[in-house]
């Protein structure tokens, strides 16, 4: 079996430390989460952020079609949630939900919840770039979860 030709490039990109988020959208049975580390601020006015959704993601149909979603910035102690929503059970349990002011489902314990409405969706390469307009947000103090070179760390002030 041939080596994956994308591995050296992926290793190079892993030298950029990122925060870790869980994007939450809802289907007919309730809220579903997806771990995302591609969050970027696009604009302050209007308030726009973007994140990327892989074409091979098993939850692509739900998140690609979502008109409303929350982006939940994880606290340093939430590594288990990061891994769960990346690979495991993607459904939020009722005790894990914190409603955003609009009524959208957010993740209880998140450092920041960005309540977003889909603004633009663009297919680029092997991902869909989703730009969200931040309609409202909540934030609290605390240390953030970082991802760097395949491992986790802590961002402290």
């Amino acid at each position: 079996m041939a080596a994956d030709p994308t591995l050296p490039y992926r290793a190079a990109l892993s030298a950029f430390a990122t925060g870790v988020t869980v994007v939450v959208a809802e289907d007919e049975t309730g809220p579903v989460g997806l771990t995302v580390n591609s969050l970027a601020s696009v604009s302050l006015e209007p308030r726009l952020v973007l994140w990327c959704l892989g074409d091979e993601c098993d939850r692509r149909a739900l998140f690609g079609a979502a008109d409303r979603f929350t982006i939940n910035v994880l606290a340093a102690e939430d590594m288990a949630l990061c891994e769960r929503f990346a690979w495991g059970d993607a459904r939020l349990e009722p005790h894990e939900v914190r409603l955003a002011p609009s009524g959208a489902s957010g993740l209880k314990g998140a450092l920041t919840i960005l309540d977003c409405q889909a603004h633009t969706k663009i297919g680029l390469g092997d991902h869909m770039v989703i730009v969200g307009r931040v309609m409202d947000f909540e934030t609290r103090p605390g240390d953030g979860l970082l991802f760097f070179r395949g491992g986790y760390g802590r961002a402290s002030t």
Side-chain angles (χ1 to χ4, degrees):
M1 179 178 229
D4 182 347
T6 67
L7 289 179
Y9 182 59
R10 290 173 61 108
L13 293 176
S14 75
F16 180 68
T18 65
V20 182
T21 69
V22 171
V23 177
V24 175
E26 295 197 34
D27 66 11
E28 63 281 348
T29 63
V32 177
L34 176 67
T35 299
V36 171
N37 70 347
S38 57
L39 178 67
S41 173
V42 175
S43 171
L44 294 176
E45 189 54 48
R47 295 185 298 214
L48 300 174
V49 294
L50 72 77
W51 61 283
C52 299
L53 176 63
D55 290 346
E56 299 299 318
C57 177
D58 63 343
R59 288 160 261 173
R60 189 177 196 288
L62 168 63
F63 286 92
D67 289 326
R68 195 81 184 204
F69 54 87
T70 61
I71 299 172
N72 302 268
V73 178
L74 295 186
E77 60 272 11
D78 288 335
M79 187 172 64
L81 287 176
C82 166
E83 291 179 348
R84 176 176 149 210
F85 291 114
W87 315 114
D89 180 12
R91 295 247 162 243
L92 274 73
E93 297 295 327
H95 69 275
E96 296 174 310
V97 174
R98 177 172 177 200
L99 294 181
S102 70
S105 295
L107 192 58
K108 194 179 284 185
L111 289 180
T112 294
I113 300 174
L114 303 173
D115 187 357
C116 299
Q117 182 162 352
H119 178 19
T120 305
K121 299 175 185 178
I122 305 164
L124 293 172
D126 58 4
H127 280 68
M128 177 187 292
V129 177
I130 299 173
V131 179
R133 185 178 186 119
V134 179
M135 306 307 288
D136 206 347
F137 63 93
E138 296 177 2
T139 192
R140 69 172 179 83
D143 293 347
L145 183 62
L146 288 183
F147 190 70
F148 177 72
R149 294 200 189 263
Y152 297 100
R154 171 183 295 264
S156 301
T157 57

